[in-house]
Amino acid sequence: MNIDIEALSDFVENLMWGYLRKGWLKRLPDVLNRLKTNIDDPRWLAKIAYHRGICALWRDDRETASRELEPLQPITPICDDVDLLQIQLDLNGASMGMSERTAFFDRICTLSKSRSDKLQYGGARSFELLMVEDEGAARTSFDAVIALAREMEAEKPLSPAAEFWFCRSLEGRAMLDPDSAALFQEIENRLTCLLALPDWPAAGLVDTKIRCLSDWRT
């Protein structure tokens, strides 16, 4: 029997969000334990470990999240599971060297079908280059991400998350050209539209960025 583990994992993710909205976060570990025994497949066990790790991160318990992932280690950039690549970056990215972190970014951009992922991690790669003051490479990288975002947007509107990550790359590009009024205006316009979305969870972060952007321009 051919089991679509990714599709089943998506169902689990939706279930987890439902529990979170209901305020039932404490119940999730037991639910995931029961689901773990339903399918005898190492891919399924890895997905449940990932979801248990995410559950721990929702509780701000990074130590438990790391323990949940221990049976799957080492998780390296050759891994072909985007979820595991992302949580590995979340838990251990700060202790990685630049080349290893960049390898994770590139791998996620290659494997993920999510437009938001491609913009988020493509932008992260660009910021890595900016942080080491390789302005030429950073400019080229930001331009590639921005071009990709505009291409995506021409096909269909970006999701709020993708729009936010697009703005981050625009912001990085603007740091390299601080006199570019058009870039700053575009960032402000896009962030203002995001802020107007009802019940968007990152609204506070967007509001802060608009304030910082205003301070920067003045």
Side-chain angles (χ1 to χ4, degrees):
M1 180 173 62
N2 185 23
I3 301 174
D4 190 339
I5 297 296
E6 289 294 337
L8 290 174
S9 180
D10 288 343
F11 281 122
V12 174
E13 182 177 347
N14 290 335
L15 176 68
M16 289 173 63
W17 279 110
Y19 268 63
L20 185 64
R21 293 188 187 99
K22 288 287 188 180
W24 296 346
L25 184 56
K26 290 182 178 179
R27 302 183 188 183
L28 270 176
D30 288 339
V31 171
L32 293 171
N33 271 344
R34 290 195 295 272
L35 290 173
K36 181 178 179 180
T37 62
N38 287 351
I39 302 173
D40 184 17
D41 186 311
R43 297 171 301 161
W44 179 245
L45 298 180
K47 286 296 186 184
I48 293 298
Y50 160 77
H51 288 303
R52 287 180 61 86
I54 291 296
C55 185
L57 288 175
W58 284 352
R59 302 192 306 270
D60 294 322
D61 187 348
R62 298 181 69 83
E63 183 178 346
T64 296
S66 294
R67 281 202 305 271
E68 296 291 352
L69 273 292
E70 279 179 5
L72 307 179
Q73 297 293 352
I75 299 171
T76 71
I78 66 171
C79 174
D80 61 2
D81 187 312
V82 173
D83 289 335
L84 295 182
L85 292 168
Q86 289 176 316
I87 197 170
Q88 178 74 355
L89 266 176
D90 193 319
L91 291 171
N92 301 300
S95 63
M96 296 177 186
M98 177 183 170
S99 60
E100 183 180 10
R101 236 181 349 261
T102 300
F104 272 88
F105 297 152
D106 290 344
R107 183 67 166 163
I108 293 170
C109 288
T110 298
L111 292 179
S112 181
K113 297 178 181 178
S114 163
R115 305 198 313 168
S116 177
D117 283 352
K118 291 180 183 296
L119 298 182
Q120 177 182 355
Y121 292 99
R125 185 185 196 284
S126 305
F127 275 105
E128 284 281 336
L129 294 167
L130 187 60
M131 292 295 290
V132 297
E133 300 182 358
D134 189 345
E135 293 191 0
R139 183 177 283 106
T140 298
S141 186
F142 279 125
D143 285 346
V145 176
I146 291 168
L148 176 61
R150 296 198 192 284
E151 181 181 327
M152 291 176 176
E153 193 172 39
E155 294 174 355
K156 65 177 181 180
L158 298 174
S159 69
E163 182 78 51
F164 177 78
W165 294 118
F166 180 21
C167 286
R168 287 287 288 138
S169 283
L170 288 171
E171 180 184 352
R173 187 64 176 82
M175 293 171 67
L176 293 166
D177 290 305
D179 295 328
S180 177
L183 266 181
F184 281 104
Q185 189 61 56
E186 179 177 4
I187 298 166
E188 184 173 342
N189 291 345
R190 288 180 179 276
L191 289 177
T192 300
C193 289
L194 281 177
L195 191 60
L197 295 175
D199 301 322
W200 194 50
L205 178 58
V206 169
D207 184 49
T208 300
K209 283 197 166 292
I210 291 176
R211 293 172 187 269
C212 291
L213 185 66
S214 178
D215 292 342
W216 191 7
R217 293 178 72 179
T218 57

